[in-house]
Amino acid sequence: MRIRLAVIWGCALCGCETVVDLDVPGGYEPKLIIESQFSPDSLWTMRAGKSTAFGATADPRDLIVPDARIVIFGEGRFRDTLRHVGNGIYRTTNNLRPASGYVYRVQAAAPGLPSAEARGWAPPLESEWVEMQAAANSGSTESDPYTVRLRMADLPGGNYYSLTLYQVVTVCRNARGFIRIENGPGYSSRYQVNVFRSTWPSFRSYVEAVDDPTYPDLDNTYWTAFFSDELFEATTREFTITFTPTVTEPDNQLFMLVLTALSDDLFAYERSLELHDYYLFGPSLTTTRPVTVYTNVAGGLGIFAGYTSDTYRFDLEGNPWEEKDVSFGEPGPCR
């Protein structure tokens, strides 16, 4: 019989639902869902839950799996058993992190559910800061006043990347509970995405547009630029972005540029999510087909895939800064 499957993380986890069509003889059997998008910057963490048939009445809290056994294996004798810390979240007990360039394997089992297994890695990334400068014609309204250049060495094989620029802003919480950008003594800071521009031909505004010639180029403006190495495989290239600060107060002149290398599995997963959402919420369901969300988990559902990021923090003079010197935290009340 054909049924519709709802993979629900619910409000207890990440608040999203994925619908997948499956042919299941005799009825639907729940599957174990494991999800970890891992990085060398973070400790090993994973979510675990179980799927349910679309249309079934289920409390999201009942779909959390608190009694799974999750073990991660790596090259050599690497082994780490994750412990449940609440709400279906499992973490390392040994303060271990993934390393880029190494393949890891996860085995997961839970009572009453089929076991699941997956392999993934965080690809290596080689990049360096070249320079930042104010544009010579910064007084013009037709160009951005600041330019940043990065150099990146692409490794052999097909690779995928993203680039995002953030500005540090100070925020507070108003009487209605909403967060707003405002300067004030003792206010906390947070990152806000800052739009940038570039004419680099590999950049795309949407992850689903990468390597797809049917998507038209827009106006070279990006919140996040997604790209592959299709035009520069296994070579070293420099690329340039220009930007104007979103907030111009003196206390908000700190920026962070994040270049990320995504594994093939993670790119396929992110691309399928976007296409799936477009099918559900796009302008015309009659011209698109249902999209199955990508999974690399054998015996279950979810994703086990990694990424590696190079992060560059700078001010408008091009000088580096460190997060420990800025007050990040929960915003206090506006004064």
Side-chain angles (χ1 to χ4, degrees), residues 137-145 197 242 244:
N137 58 343
S138 59
S140 170
T141 59
E142 298 180 356
S143 64
D144 295 310
R197 294 173 178 81
T242 62
T244 299

Side-chain angles (χ1 to χ4, degrees), residues 15-326:
C16 62
E17 176 179 305
T18 295
V19 178
V20 181
D21 285 318
L22 293 176
D23 284 310
V24 182
Y28 175 67
E29 295 291 338
K31 291 182 177 289
L32 181 62
I33 310 169
I34 54 175
E35 188 268 331
S36 179
Q37 299 182 29
F38 54 86
S39 163
D41 295 331
S42 303
L43 298 175
W44 277 111
T45 303
M46 181 166 289
R47 298 177 185 269
K50 61 182 177 181
S51 61
T52 186
F54 183 76
T57 302
D59 187 325
R61 291 172 294 185
D62 295 334
L63 301 178
I64 292 173
V65 175
D67 52 359
R69 175 174 172 79
I70 299 176
V71 185
I72 297 173
F73 302 89
E75 298 183 18
R77 296 186 176 181
F78 181 91
R79 178 188 174 114
D80 193 13
T81 300
L82 307 189
R83 178 174 61 89
H84 185 241
V85 296
N87 290 329
I89 299 173
Y90 291 74
R91 289 203 179 99
T92 175
T93 59
N94 302 305
N95 291 323
L96 297 177
R97 300 170 184 262
S100 66
Y102 292 91
V103 176
Y104 294 92
R105 176 170 59 93
V106 60
Q107 289 183 339
L113 296 169
S115 60
E117 182 174 340
R119 295 176 183 269
W121 77 321
L125 177 61
E126 298 179 11
S127 71
E128 62 178 318
W129 177 273
V130 178
E131 68 172 357
M132 173 183 168
Q133 61 183 10
N137 58 343
S138 59
S140 170
T141 59
E142 298 180 356
S143 64
D144 295 310
Y146 297 98
T147 298
V148 170
R149 282 201 299 140
L150 287 184
R151 182 180 297 119
M152 185 180 70
D154 181 63
L155 300 177
N159 298 293
Y160 297 95
Y161 304 94
S162 68
L163 184 71
T164 308
L165 176 66
Y166 300 89
Q167 182 173 3
V168 176
V169 296
T170 52
V171 295
C172 60
R173 193 179 297 274
N174 64 20
R176 299 179 61 186
F178 296 107
I179 295 175
R180 75 183 186 204
I181 299 174
E182 183 176 305
N183 283 341
Y187 286 179
S188 63
S189 298
R190 64 172 45 190
Y191 291 111
Q192 173 177 279
V193 177
N194 198 116
V195 68
F196 65 89
R197 294 173 178 81
S198 178
T199 57
W200 211 41
S202 295
F203 282 176
R204 296 293 181 268
S205 297
Y206 305 100
V207 65
E208 63 269 29
V210 174
D211 295 342
D212 189 341
T214 64
Y215 278 82
D217 291 332
L218 300 178
D219 58 355
N220 297 324
T221 300
Y222 306 96
W223 295 99
T224 292
F226 302 93
F227 58 105
S228 75
D229 62 351
E230 183 179 31
L231 301 181
F232 59 96
E233 182 179 353
T235 61
T236 298
R237 291 291 181 91
E238 290 186 5
F239 59 88
T240 301
I241 69 168
T242 62
F243 71 96
T244 299
T246 302
V247 181
T248 58
E249 284 82 356
D251 292 342
N252 303 113
Q253 301 303 292
L254 300 177
F255 300 85
M256 180 176 69
L257 188 63
V258 181
L259 175 66
T260 299
L262 297 85
S263 68
D264 290 355
D265 285 325
L266 185 55
F267 174 81
Y269 176 73
E270 295 291 345
R271 179 184 175 90
S272 69
L273 281 179
E274 291 297 323
L275 292 173
H276 178 269
D277 287 347
Y278 185 80
Y279 169 73
L280 290 180
F281 308 113
S284 176
L285 295 180
T286 61
T287 59
T288 58
R289 296 181 178 180
V291 176
T292 300
V293 174
Y294 179 87
T295 179
N296 65 342
V297 179
L301 296 168
I303 188 70
F304 180 72
Y307 64 93
T308 302
S309 295
D310 283 349
T311 300
Y312 300 95
R313 296 180 177 88
F314 58 94
D315 61 19
L316 289 183
E317 301 297 324
N319 302 312
W321 59 275
E322 297 183 13
E323 279 191 335
K324 65 181 180 63
D325 298 325
V326 179

